[in-house]
Amino acid sequence: MPPFRWRAIALPALLPALLFAIGEGAIIPIIPIFAHNLGASLAVAGLVGGILMIGELFGDIPSGWLVSRIGERPAMIGAALLSVVGLVICLLSPNAWALSFGVFLIGLATAVFALARHAFMTSFVPASHRARALSTLGGVFRCGYFVGPFITAGVIHLFGSVETAFWIHIVACLASVAVLTLGREPSAAFVAVKTVRAEDGRRLHEGEALVADEARGLFRTIWASRSVLLKLGSGVTLLSGLRASRAVILPLWAVSIGVSEADTALIIGVAGGVDFALFYASGQIMDRFGRMWSALPCILGLAAGHFVLAATHELPTNVEWFIGAAMLLSLANGIGSGILMTLGADLADKRNPAPFLGAWRFTTSIGGAAAPLAISGITAVATLSLAAGAMGVLGLVGAGMLLRYIPRFVPRAR
C-alpha cells in the first residue's frame, strides 16, 4: 500500500469541513440576535437559537442510513446545499417562527455533514493514522468556530447589517460544495479503500458501513444499554446541555445588557480562540491522568461560568463580567474537548462498537437539544439570570454524577 499523505485528505475532507465550520461559526452567535431583531422576546429568541441543536438531534436519526445509501461525498454535498436552502429561508423570514424553520433545516444539514465527514475519514484514512486524522478534524471544526465570529464582526462593522452573517455561511457552503465536487477521489490518490458487504449485498466503504451499523436498531441499542446510559450517560448529557447552553445564552446575554451585534461576535470569537487552543491539551490530560480530570473541570467550569452570569447582570460592570464569563466558559469547554467521543469509545463493545456509539451520540445530543428549551422556558416565566443560575445548578448535579460513575464504568488503566 502506498504511504499515507496528509495532503491527500486536506482538500477532500479537511478543507470542506473548515469552510462549513467557518460558516456555522459565523451564524451561531447571530441567530438569537436576529430573532430578537425580528420582534421576538428573549425567551423566544433563545428558543430559535436552540432549534439548531434540535435539528441536529433529529438529523442524527436518518444520517447513518442516508450516508450508507448515497455515499460520504454526495451526503456532504447534499447537506451543504440543504444548509443553503435553510439560510435563504432565514434571510427571507418575516418573523421568528419562519426563521426557526430555516434554522431547523440548517441543524438537520449539520448532522448529516458531520456524520458523513466522520465516515469519510474512517474510509479513506488508514487505521495507523486514523486517530490523528479524527483529532485533526475536530480541531479544524473548532478552528472554524473561532474564525467565523471574527468574519461576522468585520462584515457587520462594514455593512451594518446582521443578515450578512447568513451570507457568510451561504458562501462557505457553496465553496465547500465546489471543493467536494471538483476535488479528486482520495482512493485514486493514495490508498485502496477497504470495503465490506452490507446485508442487502451492496459493497460499502468502511466508514459507510460504520454509520449504517450505528443507525440500525438505534432505540433497541439504547434500551439494551439503559444501565450505563441512565447513570454515566445522564451526567454526560448534562455536560452536553451546558455546552449547548453556552452557545445560546451568551448572545442572549449580550442583547439583554446592550452589547452591539459586532462586539458580541468579536467577544464570542475571542472566546472561541481560547476553546480552540486547548483541544490538544484535553487529549493529553485524558490519556495521562484519566477521563475524570478532563470531564470534571469541564463541567464545573461551565457551571461556574453560568453562575457568574447569573450574579452579575445588574452590576454596573456587567459587560466586563460578561466578557470574563465568556472566557471562563470557553476555557472549561476546551479542557473537555473530545470527552464525549472518548467516553463513548471507552464504553463501546470493542468487537462491534458502532451500535453503542450511535446510541451514545444520540443520548448525549438530547442534552444539547434540551438545554436551550430549558433556558427559553425559564426566561419566559422568570428571568434570564434565573435561567443561567438553573443551568449552573444542573452543572453541579452533572458533576456529581460524573464523579460517581466515571470510576465505575471507565476504570483508570494501571
Side-chain angles (χ1 to χ4, degrees):
M1 181 180 293
F4 176 73
R5 298 193 302 271
W6 282 97
R7 67 175 180 271
I9 64 166
L11 281 179
L14 298 181
L15 181 57
L18 177 61
L19 291 168
F20 194 90
I22 288 173
E24 192 172 17
I27 67 167
I28 286 176
I30 295 303
I31 292 172
I33 297 173
F34 189 52
H36 188 263
N37 290 349
L38 289 175
S41 65
L42 282 178
V44 174
L47 176 62
V48 174
I51 285 176
L52 185 69
M53 275 72 80
I54 295 172
E56 290 187 32
L57 176 66
F58 279 89
D60 280 340
I61 299 173
S63 294
W65 176 86
L66 181 65
V67 171
S68 68
R69 279 288 170 183
I70 68 175
E72 305 101 332
R73 284 215 297 181
M76 284 190 280
I77 291 170
L81 293 176
L82 179 60
S83 273
V84 171
V85 173
L87 289 159
V88 171
I89 292 173
C90 291
L91 284 168
L92 300 176
S93 297
N95 53 55
W97 302 114
L99 175 66
S100 67
F101 178 66
V103 172
F104 182 78
L105 290 182
I106 297 169
L108 284 176
T110 300
V112 175
F113 193 95
L115 196 67
R117 74 176 185 224
H118 186 188
F120 189 97
M121 299 292 271
T122 302
S123 292
F124 292 102
V125 176
S128 59
H129 292 72
R130 191 170 296 160
R132 280 169 285 178
L134 291 174
S135 175
T136 302
L137 183 63
V140 162
F141 209 66
R142 286 174 181 267
C143 179
Y145 280 173
F146 166 50
V147 173
F150 282 109
I151 299 176
T152 295
V155 171
I156 291 176
H157 181 74
L158 285 175
F159 297 99
S161 174
V162 179
E163 291 92 333
T164 52
F166 295 104
W167 283 107
I168 296 169
H169 199 6
I170 289 174
V171 171
C173 286
L174 294 178
S176 180
V177 168
V179 172
L180 288 165
T181 303
L182 301 176
R184 226 178 136 194
E185 180 70 28
S187 57
F190 67 94
V191 68
V193 180
K194 180 181 177 181
T195 61
V196 297
R197 187 173 296 279
E199 292 180 356
D200 59 5
R202 293 179 299 124
R203 299 297 300 185
L204 299 178
H205 292 162
E206 185 180 0
E208 294 169 351
L210 173 68
V211 296
D213 286 344
E214 287 186 13
R216 188 180 299 115
L218 173 64
F219 296 104
R220 184 171 63 250
T221 305
I222 290 174
W223 177 252
S225 307
R226 60 190 180 276
S227 176
V228 65
L229 293 178
L230 281 172
K231 294 173 182 175
L232 179 56
S234 294
V236 174
T237 297
L238 289 173
L239 171 56
S240 177
L242 262 73
R243 284 178 157 176
S245 168
R246 179 180 68 108
V248 172
I249 207 165
L250 289 177
L252 289 179
W253 209 268
V255 169
S256 70
I257 63 176
V259 179
S260 70
E261 294 94 341
D263 287 344
T264 299
L266 185 62
I267 292 167
I268 292 176
V270 173
V274 175
D275 192 344
F276 171 60
L278 292 171
F279 80 91
Y280 183 77
S282 171
Q284 291 289 319
I285 292 170
M286 284 187 281
D287 284 341
R288 295 189 62 182
F289 303 106
R291 311 320 189 209
M292 178 74 75
W293 292 98
S294 175
L296 206 59
C298 175
I299 195 168
L300 288 175
L302 290 170
H306 283 82
F307 284 133
V308 169
L309 289 174
T312 59
H313 190 275
E314 303 303 325
L315 296 181
T317 55
N318 54 12
V319 175
E320 289 81 358
W321 281 106
F322 166 68
I323 295 172
M327 300 306 158
L328 175 58
L329 289 169
S330 292
L331 176 65
N333 194 58
I335 291 173
S337 177
I339 185 64
L340 302 184
M341 291 187 294
T342 302
L343 286 174
D346 288 339
L347 296 166
D349 184 348
K350 300 302 182 288
R351 294 166 298 178
N352 184 26
F356 180 83
L357 290 176
W360 179 259
R361 185 177 61 251
F362 182 80
T363 303
T364 55
S365 294
I366 292 174
L373 298 181
I375 291 171
S376 176
I378 296 171
T379 303
V381 300
T383 65
L384 187 59
S385 293
L386 186 60
M391 294 306 299
V393 170
L394 288 176
L396 296 180
V397 173
M401 298 183 77
L402 293 175
L403 185 64
R404 169 66 179 86
Y405 290 116
I406 283 182
R408 174 176 173 182
F409 290 104
V410 189
R412 181 179 175 184
R414 291 184 181 276

